[in-house]
Amino acid sequence: MPETRSVTTSPLLKQRLAHVEQRIREAEIRFGRSPGSVKLLPVSKTRPVADIEQLTRAGYRAFGESYLQEALGKQKELTVLGLEWHFIGPIQSNKTQPIAQHFDWVHSVDREKIARRLSTQRPSELPPLNVCLQTNISSEATKSGIDLDQLPVLAACVARLPGLRLRGLMAIPARESDFERQRAAFRHLREAFDALNTDGLALDTLSMGMSGDLEAAIAEGATLVRVGSDIFGPRN
Ligand SMILES: *Cc1c(COP(=O)(O)O)cnc(C)c1O
């Protein structure tokens, strides 16, 4: 078990975090969202455990990671803190078992085969794995995610899997600097989300918005924004 290290909080990290929190609050007000209705998920991929520890001092308990081996190493070091881990990276089918065993959430489920494996491999002593379906809203062949027209069938399938709890949708739209165009992409995801709820699924999580587009995502109804570089600094 690691000893409790004394962690000095970097003033720069504190300042960046405060700025992101302020952007979220301002966007909530500006777009008529209830105060506190948008959750900030810090994305700690490529960052050392010391950075995660610093954020826990600021009250954060949930972290997003994209690379399995890296995430498992950090989880081991930080076991004593009892954090909530969100897997947000691409999933290869031969990696589903450790994901099912070691994460609380997966945002990047985009096909039935992966969903079935995660459900079967979820340990029975744990609560069902919270799942968002990654959806392709930019219609680029290179982007991962299920196409919007196939989403309802996948959602209906995942909703019935006993090891999973379908919570919502996630998307990573193509990078776009124009605010209205950012909004238009997120609007597609929100409309798909609303349609699934109208069909009777009780989805509560719209995981959309990152460092460069979180305001547009909040404008369109994001309930969770995933932010890495604007909190921790640029990745190399
Ligand atoms: C890296 C990553 C983020 C964070 O991106 P930033 O632009 O650094 O805020 C969010 N979501 C996913 C799926 C990512 O892989």
Side-chain angles (χ1 to χ4, degrees):
M1 181 176 298
E3 283 184 35
T4 314
R5 273 166 287 187
S6 70
V7 178
T8 48
T9 303
S10 134
L12 184 57
L13 184 56
K14 254 186 159 160
Q15 197 184 330
R16 285 205 193 97
L17 176 64
H19 185 235
V20 169
E21 290 172 338
Q22 186 187 343
R23 285 171 61 194
I24 293 170
R25 276 197 303 273
E26 286 176 359
E28 283 172 344
I29 292 168
R30 179 166 158 214
F31 300 107
R33 304 286 311 278
S34 319
S37 58
V38 180
K39 183 181 154 97
L40 171 58
L41 180 72
V43 174
S44 46
K45 67 183 182 206
T46 79
R47 306 295 168 180
V49 290
D51 283 10
I52 298 175
E53 288 176 304
Q54 292 194 51
L55 256 73
T56 64
R57 271 150 219 268
Y60 287 85
R61 309 291 306 163
F63 294 89
E65 291 280 344
S66 298
Y67 309 113
L68 182 61
Q69 289 313 316
E70 179 196 338
L72 295 175
K74 291 175 182 175
Q75 289 173 350
K76 212 166 176 186
E77 279 196 64
L78 296 170
T79 305
V80 66
L81 294 178
L83 301 176
E84 179 181 293
W85 295 96
H86 294 234
F87 192 80
I88 63 173
I91 307 173
Q92 296 162 277
S93 60
N94 62 344
K95 300 287 169 57
T96 50
Q97 179 150 0
I99 293 174
Q101 288 171 336
H102 295 284
F103 286 82
D104 302 288
W105 281 73
V106 178
H107 294 230
S108 43
V109 172
D110 65 357
R111 54 197 195 277
E112 187 176 326
K113 180 183 175 190
I114 296 291
R116 289 191 182 282
R117 291 176 63 94
L118 289 170
S119 177
T120 307
Q121 293 167 341
R122 181 66 168 173
S124 57
E125 69 273 18
L126 294 180
L129 182 61
N130 296 293
V131 162
C132 291
L133 301 179
Q134 184 173 351
T135 308
N136 182 358
I137 48 173
S138 299
S139 57
E140 287 174 26
T142 54
K143 291 274 169 194
S144 47
I146 181 117
D147 288 342
L148 277 171
D149 59 348
Q150 294 166 43
L151 178 63
V153 172
L154 180 64
C157 160
V158 171
R160 286 193 299 264
L161 293 174
L164 307 185
R165 179 169 169 211
L166 181 58
R167 298 295 297 269
L169 303 180
M170 182 276 248
I172 311 171
R175 199 183 284 273
E176 168 63 68
S177 56
D178 179 76
F179 181 76
E180 288 305 325
R181 286 200 219 171
Q182 289 177 350
R183 268 191 84 152
F186 290 131
R187 192 174 308 131
H188 290 304
L189 193 68
R190 197 242 308 150
E191 287 169 355
F193 179 83
D194 290 344
L196 292 175
N197 276 334
T198 301
D199 283 351
L201 295 176
L203 307 184
D204 63 6
T205 302
L206 202 39
S207 168
M208 60 185 194
M210 320 197 321
S211 293
D213 55 16
L214 67 88
E215 285 87 356
I218 291 170
E220 289 299 335
T223 65
L224 181 153
V225 292
R226 310 174 311 269
V227 180
S229 43
D230 279 5
I231 296 175
F232 297 108
R235 288 181 297 274
N236 37 19

